[in-house]
């Protein structure tokens, strides 16, 4: 009986012997978690270097390919001066000063071609460049000088650029080189042909470009929560789809902002260009708000594919944030060619198969463009 009772008694175990086993299981669990985490990190790093980083660094569309132009043909700031500066003996002799380093990026300045085309599709196969701007961005002084070119300026295209005969209207410079018109497989062919027309006629060589269509303008402005404008007078168009805008301060969504930029009936093209510049300034002003600067990279990524540019997402995001952080709206200068410099006329445009309203211009306009792009 005594032996039987001993057989039924619980077996005493040593807790000190169980602890190492439990610790080993616990350590094994954390080792597995660490290995899984390391594997995920390696996968992410591999994806970054093999796909995401090249994607962010790849230009959104094709780069500009422009012929070389002798700088002798382009007016310099000295040549454009109305008179030579007069130095008196009391002034110290001018000494060379070091060129200031750019605040953002590596280049001292870039000249941009900005174009808005009258096309509502989700691609850029066709379109007339009804909004054309040349913008010189100085990264040392952090200034933007923007010049508007009226869409009805009559110009000649370089020999062999288009199959259509000269003259053309400047807004056709995009259409006649666009992929849908020419069958080109290059997404930036329209911007490239417009840049060549501008270079050939005005001696300005764009470094980079950006092109937007109607849909991109509407969606982009909606994406930043609309823009605030202060209209000095009410604006009305008999077309019900464009409607009425009261004078004073008002916030416009994308569609209303686009409507304001398009209104010309009862006014002039000069008036419309002024409203377009008003919207552009309002967009910059909206981005200068601190809470929107940090959103800029996400917004650029969100609208990837909705606009054309030879810059990459990484370039636009990095330079854009840096510039906005160091930019003062007082350093934004937007100008348009004075109407008295342009001659209103009609010209036979072969590609339009008829006579069209045009603006004629001469060398004084070329000088004016250079002077305003280079002004400090």
């Amino acid at each position: 009986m005594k032996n039987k009772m001993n057989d039924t008694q619980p077996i005493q175990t040593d807790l000190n012997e169980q602890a190492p086993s439990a610790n080993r299981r616990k350590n094994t669990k954390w080792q597995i978690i660490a290995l899984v985490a390391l594997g995920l990190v390696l996968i992410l790093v591999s994806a970054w270097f093999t796909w995401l980083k090249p994607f962010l660094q790849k230009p959104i569309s094709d780069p500009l390919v422009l012929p070389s132009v002798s700088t002798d043909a382009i007016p310099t700031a000295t040549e454009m001066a109305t008179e030579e500066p007069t130095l008196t003996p009391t002034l110290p002799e001018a000494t060379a000063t070091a060129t200031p380093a750019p605040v953002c990026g590596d280049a001292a300045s870039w000249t941009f071609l900005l174009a808005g085309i009258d096309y509502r599709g989700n691609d850029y196969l066709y379109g007339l460049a009804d909004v054309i701007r040349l913008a010189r961005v100085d990264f040392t002084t952090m200034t933007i000088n923007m010049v508007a070119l009226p869409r009805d300026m009559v110009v000649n295209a370089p020999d062999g650029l288009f199959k259509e005969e000269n003259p053309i209207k400047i807004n056709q410079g995009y259409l006649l080189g666009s992929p849908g018109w020419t069958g080109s497989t290059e997404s930036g062919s329209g911007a490239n042909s417009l840049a060549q027309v501008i270079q050939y006629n005005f001696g300005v060589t764009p470094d980079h470009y950006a092109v937007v269509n109607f849909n991109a303008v509407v969606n982009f402005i909606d994406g930043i929560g609309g823009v605030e404008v202060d209209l000095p007078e009410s604006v009305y168009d008999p077309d019900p789809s464009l409607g009425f805008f009261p004078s004073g301060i008002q916030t416009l969504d994308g569609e209303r902002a686009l409507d304001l930029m398009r209104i010309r009936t009862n006014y002039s093209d000069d008036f419309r260009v002024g409203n377009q510049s008003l919207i552009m300034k309002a967009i910059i002003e909206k981005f200068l708000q601190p809470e929107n600067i940090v959103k800029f990279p996400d917004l650029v990524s969100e609208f990837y594919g909705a606009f054309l540019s030879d810059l990459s997402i990484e370039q636009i995001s990095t330079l854009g944030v840096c510039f906005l952080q160091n930019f003062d709206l007082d350093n934004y200068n937007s100008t348009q060619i004075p109407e008295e410099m342009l001659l209103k006329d009609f010209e036979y445009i072969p590609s339009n198969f008829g006579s069209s309203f045009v603006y004629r211009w001469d060398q004084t306009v070329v000088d004016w463009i250079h002077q305003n792009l280079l002004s400090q």
Side-chain angles (χ1 to χ4, degrees):
M1 179 67 69
K2 184 177 180 180
N3 291 338
K4 188 174 182 179
M5 290 180 62
N6 288 339
D7 291 341
T8 59
Q9 289 180 351
I11 300 174
Q12 299 294 323
T13 58
D14 190 344
L15 294 178
N16 292 331
E17 292 179 359
Q18 288 184 336
S21 177
N23 289 336
R24 282 195 297 271
R25 288 195 299 271
K26 187 175 182 180
N27 290 338
T28 301
K29 176 183 177 182
W30 283 110
Q31 288 173 356
I32 293 173
I33 293 174
L35 288 173
V36 171
L38 179 60
L40 290 174
V41 169
L42 291 175
I43 291 173
L44 291 174
V45 170
S46 177
W48 167 258
F49 283 104
T50 59
W51 180 78
L52 187 57
K53 186 176 181 180
F55 170 76
L56 294 175
Q57 294 178 335
K58 180 183 178 181
I60 295 172
S61 51
D62 303 295
L64 292 174
V65 181
L66 304 177
S68 300
V69 175
S70 171
T71 55
D72 294 338
I74 302 176
T76 64
T78 302
E79 291 169 345
M80 290 186 294
T82 56
E83 58 184 24
E84 291 293 329
T86 303
L87 299 179
T88 65
T90 58
L91 293 177
E93 184 177 351
T95 56
T97 57
T99 303
V103 177
C104 301
D106 300 322
S109 65
W110 276 348
T111 299
F112 285 89
L113 167 61
L114 308 176
I117 61 173
D118 63 344
Y119 187 66
R120 274 199 179 269
N122 292 322
D123 52 51
Y124 288 81
L125 292 177
Y126 300 95
L128 292 166
D130 279 355
V131 177
I132 305 173
R133 298 289 188 276
L134 292 173
R136 183 176 183 271
V137 180
D138 192 315
F139 294 107
T140 61
T141 60
M142 301 305 288
T143 58
I144 299 176
N145 292 333
M146 188 176 294
V147 171
L149 301 180
R151 67 174 191 170
D152 292 318
M153 296 180 79
V154 60
V155 295
N156 287 322
D159 291 340
L161 180 60
F162 304 130
K163 60 183 180 181
E164 290 76 13
E165 296 180 11
N166 283 321
I168 64 172
K169 296 172 76 166
I170 193 171
N171 66 342
Q172 293 178 291
Y174 185 93
L175 173 67
L176 299 181
S178 62
W181 192 272
T182 64
S184 171
T185 58
E186 296 183 358
S187 58
S189 61
N192 197 82
S193 63
L194 178 59
Q196 287 193 55
V197 169
I198 290 172
Q199 181 191 52
Y200 183 75
N201 286 271
F202 306 111
V204 177
T205 302
D207 299 304
H208 301 285
Y209 70 88
V211 181
V212 295
N213 58 24
F214 281 173
N215 285 349
V217 171
V218 171
N219 294 332
F220 186 81
I221 292 177
D222 285 342
I224 61 175
V227 291
E228 185 179 275
V229 297
D230 187 0
L231 294 179
E233 60 181 286
S234 60
V235 180
Y236 169 75
D237 192 285
D239 183 349
S241 66
L242 299 179
F244 172 78
F245 295 83
S247 61
I249 298 175
Q250 53 207 286
T251 299
L252 306 177
D253 62 13
E255 283 290 351
R256 292 296 284 160
L258 180 64
D259 291 343
L260 181 61
M261 289 191 286
R262 295 178 60 200
I263 289 179
R264 183 172 64 164
T265 306
N266 296 333
Y267 301 96
S268 64
D269 194 62
D270 189 63
F271 179 82
R272 181 171 67 167
V273 169
N275 285 336
Q276 292 168 354
S277 299
L278 192 68
I279 296 295
M280 290 183 182
K281 184 176 181 180
I283 292 173
I284 296 175
E285 192 169 14
K286 188 68 175 283
F287 267 123
L288 289 176
Q289 298 173 3
E291 64 272 19
N292 288 328
I293 292 178
V294 295
K295 297 178 183 177
F296 187 78
D298 291 336
L299 196 62
V300 172
S301 299
E302 179 183 347
F303 283 93
Y304 175 81
F307 64 97
L308 300 181
S309 177
D310 61 329
L311 296 177
S312 67
I313 292 179
E314 183 179 72
Q315 285 177 301
I316 296 174
S317 299
T318 303
L319 286 175
V321 170
C322 176
F323 198 88
L324 291 171
Q325 288 174 333
N326 295 278
F327 182 67
D328 189 316
L329 196 60
D330 290 338
N331 291 331
Y332 172 73
N333 308 300
S334 180
T335 54
Q336 55 198 79
I337 301 172
E339 280 194 301
E340 58 269 22
M341 285 189 177
L342 302 170
L343 176 63
K344 298 178 181 179
D345 201 359
F346 285 86
E347 173 76 30
Y348 179 78
I349 306 295
S351 52
N352 284 347
F353 304 103
S355 182
S356 297
F357 171 81
V358 299
Y359 284 119
R360 298 189 185 279
W361 50 275
D362 58 19
Q363 184 63 35
T364 59
V365 170
V366 177
D367 295 341
W368 182 92
I369 291 172
H370 283 268
Q371 189 172 24
N372 280 272
L373 283 177
L374 295 173
S375 65
Q376 297 296 328

